[in-house]
Amino acid sequence: DGGITQSPKYLFRKEGQNVTLSCEQNLNHDAMYWYRQDPGQGLRLIYYSQIVNDFQKGDIAEGYSVSREKKESFPLTVTSAQKNPTAFYLCASSSLGQGAVEQFFGPGTRLTVL
Amino acid sequence: AQSVTQPDIHITVSEGASLELRCNYSYGATPYLFWYVQSPGQGLQLLLKYFSGDTLVQGIKGFEAEFKRSQSSFNLRKPSVHWSDAAEYFCAVGRGDDKIIFGKGTRLHILP
């Protein structure tokens, strides 16, 4: 059954700690994305990757880091430098195109900083 | 710069009534347009997409959307809503580089 999995569903972190959110896809997609969602703000792009071992910053990359060592995996680390990390994080993937491709989304991870 | 505007933050309709959610976009070239739906605490699911051709697009769950270039709009419609349609709806435009810009969403409430 193809799709995107994110773990954990809920994550709690103390201030000053780094935390890594997992994203795995078995859709054989080349591109993967991380979004942050806050109430009333829509989705904002954090990082994206179109090929293994390469990734680019999105609109709000400060305080976040990613890696793309495998095609199916794109973990996101929320570092202690992120000033307001409490949010809902969504991972997505797509095939490569020229803007005419849909993105498929995982179920999300809700991160709460205590 | 590309942008997407969803003018209505919340909309409430009665079950069985018709629905129209508004979306306006700003994009210099031919847009690639999407509507996604999100249930609380869940990921986004694609309802429909417009790339080219017929300006009236049919989607899943009985939804449709009409692309109007002259009005820069891509409004989502459904003839008769069901209680299960209560969710948040996002309009989005493809940027031509595999990235998508999302609107801020419209939350749909259904009255029994």
mmCIF file of all heavy atoms in Angstrom, chain A residues 98-114:
data_model
loop_
_atom_site.group_PDB
_atom_site.id
_atom_site.type_symbol
_atom_site.label_atom_id
_atom_site.label_comp_id
_atom_site.label_asym_id
_atom_site.label_seq_id
_atom_site.Cartn_x
_atom_site.Cartn_y
_atom_site.Cartn_z
ATOM 1 N N GLN A 98 7.035 20.187 -14.059
ATOM 2 C CA GLN A 98 7.281 21.625 -14.196
ATOM 3 C C GLN A 98 6.085 22.376 -13.649
ATOM 4 O O GLN A 98 5.439 23.148 -14.346
ATOM 5 C CB GLN A 98 7.552 21.978 -15.652
ATOM 6 C CG GLN A 98 8.859 21.394 -16.154
ATOM 7 C CD GLN A 98 9.176 21.812 -17.568
ATOM 8 O OE1 GLN A 98 8.326 22.331 -18.274
ATOM 9 N NE2 GLN A 98 10.403 21.588 -17.982
ATOM 10 N N GLY A 99 5.797 22.090 -12.385
ATOM 11 C CA GLY A 99 4.687 22.769 -11.732
ATOM 12 C C GLY A 99 3.372 22.071 -11.922
ATOM 13 O O GLY A 99 2.387 22.438 -11.345
ATOM 14 N N ALA A 100 3.340 21.032 -12.755
ATOM 15 C CA ALA A 100 2.073 20.372 -13.050
ATOM 16 C C ALA A 100 1.965 19.031 -12.360
ATOM 17 O O ALA A 100 1.444 18.100 -12.913
ATOM 18 C CB ALA A 100 1.932 20.192 -14.561
ATOM 19 N N VAL A 101 2.477 18.947 -11.163
ATOM 20 C CA VAL A 101 2.418 17.687 -10.433
ATOM 21 C C VAL A 101 1.798 17.926 -9.072
ATOM 22 O O VAL A 101 2.028 18.957 -8.444
ATOM 23 C CB VAL A 101 3.810 17.046 -10.259
ATOM 24 C CG1 VAL A 101 4.341 16.583 -11.598
ATOM 25 C CG2 VAL A 101 4.783 18.004 -9.612
ATOM 26 N N GLU A 102 1.018 16.966 -8.638
ATOM 27 C CA GLU A 102 0.417 17.074 -7.324
ATOM 28 C C GLU A 102 1.384 16.557 -6.277
ATOM 29 O O GLU A 102 2.249 15.727 -6.554
ATOM 30 C CB GLU A 102 -0.871 16.285 -7.263
ATOM 31 C CG GLU A 102 -0.678 14.788 -7.397
ATOM 32 C CD GLU A 102 -1.992 14.036 -7.352
ATOM 33 O OE1 GLU A 102 -2.440 13.708 -6.246
ATOM 34 O OE2 GLU A 102 -2.535 13.794 -8.435
ATOM 35 N N GLN A 103 1.238 17.061 -5.070
ATOM 36 C CA GLN A 103 2.002 16.575 -3.949
ATOM 37 C C GLN A 103 1.116 15.680 -3.097
ATOM 38 O O GLN A 103 -0.063 15.964 -2.896
ATOM 39 C CB GLN A 103 2.543 17.745 -3.123
ATOM 40 C CG GLN A 103 3.586 18.567 -3.879
ATOM 41 C CD GLN A 103 4.158 19.703 -3.073
ATOM 42 O OE1 GLN A 103 3.927 19.815 -1.866
ATOM 43 N NE2 GLN A 103 4.918 20.566 -3.726
ATOM 44 N N PHE A 104 1.712 14.608 -2.610
ATOM 45 C CA PHE A 104 1.034 13.675 -1.727
ATOM 46 C C PHE A 104 1.541 13.917 -0.311
ATOM 47 O O PHE A 104 2.743 14.045 -0.095
ATOM 48 C CB PHE A 104 1.327 12.235 -2.145
ATOM 49 C CG PHE A 104 0.750 11.878 -3.482
ATOM 50 C CD1 PHE A 104 1.385 12.252 -4.649
ATOM 51 C CD2 PHE A 104 -0.436 11.158 -3.581
ATOM 52 C CE1 PHE A 104 0.862 11.945 -5.892
ATOM 53 C CE2 PHE A 104 -0.963 10.834 -4.817
ATOM 54 C CZ PHE A 104 -0.317 11.230 -5.969
ATOM 55 N N PHE A 105 0.618 13.941 0.643
ATOM 56 C CA PHE A 105 0.960 14.333 2.004
ATOM 57 C C PHE A 105 0.898 13.171 2.980
ATOM 58 O O PHE A 105 0.067 12.271 2.858
ATOM 59 C CB PHE A 105 0.015 15.440 2.493
ATOM 60 C CG PHE A 105 0.335 16.775 1.900
ATOM 61 C CD1 PHE A 105 -0.108 17.118 0.637
ATOM 62 C CD2 PHE A 105 1.099 17.693 2.613
ATOM 63 C CE1 PHE A 105 0.207 18.359 0.086
ATOM 64 C CE2 PHE A 105 1.418 18.935 2.076
ATOM 65 C CZ PHE A 105 0.969 19.258 0.806
ATOM 66 N N GLY A 106 1.783 13.229 3.967
ATOM 67 C CA GLY A 106 1.700 12.332 5.091
ATOM 68 C C GLY A 106 0.679 12.828 6.101
ATOM 69 O O GLY A 106 0.096 13.905 5.932
ATOM 70 N N PRO A 107 0.474 12.072 7.189
ATOM 71 C CA PRO A 107 -0.546 12.429 8.179
ATOM 72 C C PRO A 107 -0.129 13.537 9.139
ATOM 73 O O PRO A 107 -0.962 14.044 9.887
ATOM 74 C CB PRO A 107 -0.773 11.117 8.931
ATOM 75 C CG PRO A 107 0.522 10.397 8.791
ATOM 76 C CD PRO A 107 1.061 10.756 7.452
ATOM 77 N N GLY A 108 1.154 13.900 9.144
ATOM 78 C CA GLY A 108 1.601 15.005 9.974
ATOM 79 C C GLY A 108 2.140 14.585 11.341
ATOM 80 O O GLY A 108 1.822 13.509 11.856
ATOM 81 N N THR A 109 2.958 15.467 11.898
ATOM 82 C CA THR A 109 3.475 15.333 13.262
ATOM 83 C C THR A 109 3.193 16.636 13.998
ATOM 84 O O THR A 109 3.550 17.712 13.503
ATOM 85 C CB THR A 109 4.990 15.068 13.279
ATOM 86 O OG1 THR A 109 5.256 13.772 12.746
ATOM 87 C CG2 THR A 109 5.536 15.134 14.712
ATOM 88 N N ARG A 110 2.560 16.529 15.145
ATOM 89 C CA ARG A 110 2.307 17.727 15.951
ATOM 90 C C ARG A 110 3.398 17.837 17.005
ATOM 91 O O ARG A 110 3.521 16.967 17.874
ATOM 92 C CB ARG A 110 0.940 17.683 16.618
ATOM 93 C CG ARG A 110 0.626 18.985 17.389
ATOM 94 C CD ARG A 110 -0.830 19.100 17.750
ATOM 95 N NE ARG A 110 -1.710 19.137 16.593
ATOM 96 C CZ ARG A 110 -1.910 20.209 15.830
ATOM 97 N NH1 ARG A 110 -1.304 21.350 16.102
ATOM 98 N NH2 ARG A 110 -2.754 20.130 14.808
ATOM 99 N N LEU A 111 4.185 18.877 16.916
ATOM 100 C CA LEU A 111 5.288 19.125 17.847
ATOM 101 C C LEU A 111 4.871 20.189 18.848
ATOM 102 O O LEU A 111 4.381 21.261 18.470
ATOM 103 C CB LEU A 111 6.532 19.593 17.088
ATOM 104 C CG LEU A 111 7.714 20.049 17.937
ATOM 105 C CD1 LEU A 111 8.260 18.901 18.787
ATOM 106 C CD2 LEU A 111 8.811 20.638 17.061
ATOM 107 N N THR A 112 5.072 19.870 20.123
ATOM 108 C CA THR A 112 4.781 20.824 21.188
ATOM 109 C C THR A 112 6.031 21.010 22.028
ATOM 110 O O THR A 112 6.617 20.029 22.496
ATOM 111 C CB THR A 112 3.638 20.326 22.086
ATOM 112 O OG1 THR A 112 2.479 20.106 21.278
ATOM 113 C CG2 THR A 112 3.312 21.346 23.166
ATOM 114 N N VAL A 113 6.428 22.254 22.211
ATOM 115 C CA VAL A 113 7.570 22.576 23.059
ATOM 116 C C VAL A 113 7.063 22.965 24.435
ATOM 117 O O VAL A 113 6.227 23.859 24.573
ATOM 118 C CB VAL A 113 8.396 23.704 22.439
ATOM 119 C CG1 VAL A 113 9.510 24.125 23.396
ATOM 120 C CG2 VAL A 113 8.984 23.253 21.121
ATOM 121 N N LEU A 114 7.581 22.270 25.442
ATOM 122 C CA LEU A 114 7.110 22.479 26.803
ATOM 123 C C LEU A 114 7.965 23.500 27.522
ATOM 124 O O LEU A 114 9.157 23.659 27.228
ATOM 125 C CB LEU A 114 7.116 21.148 27.555
ATOM 126 C CG LEU A 114 6.290 20.018 26.888
ATOM 127 C CD1 LEU A 114 6.505 18.719 27.622
ATOM 128 C CD2 LEU A 114 4.824 20.407 26.831
#
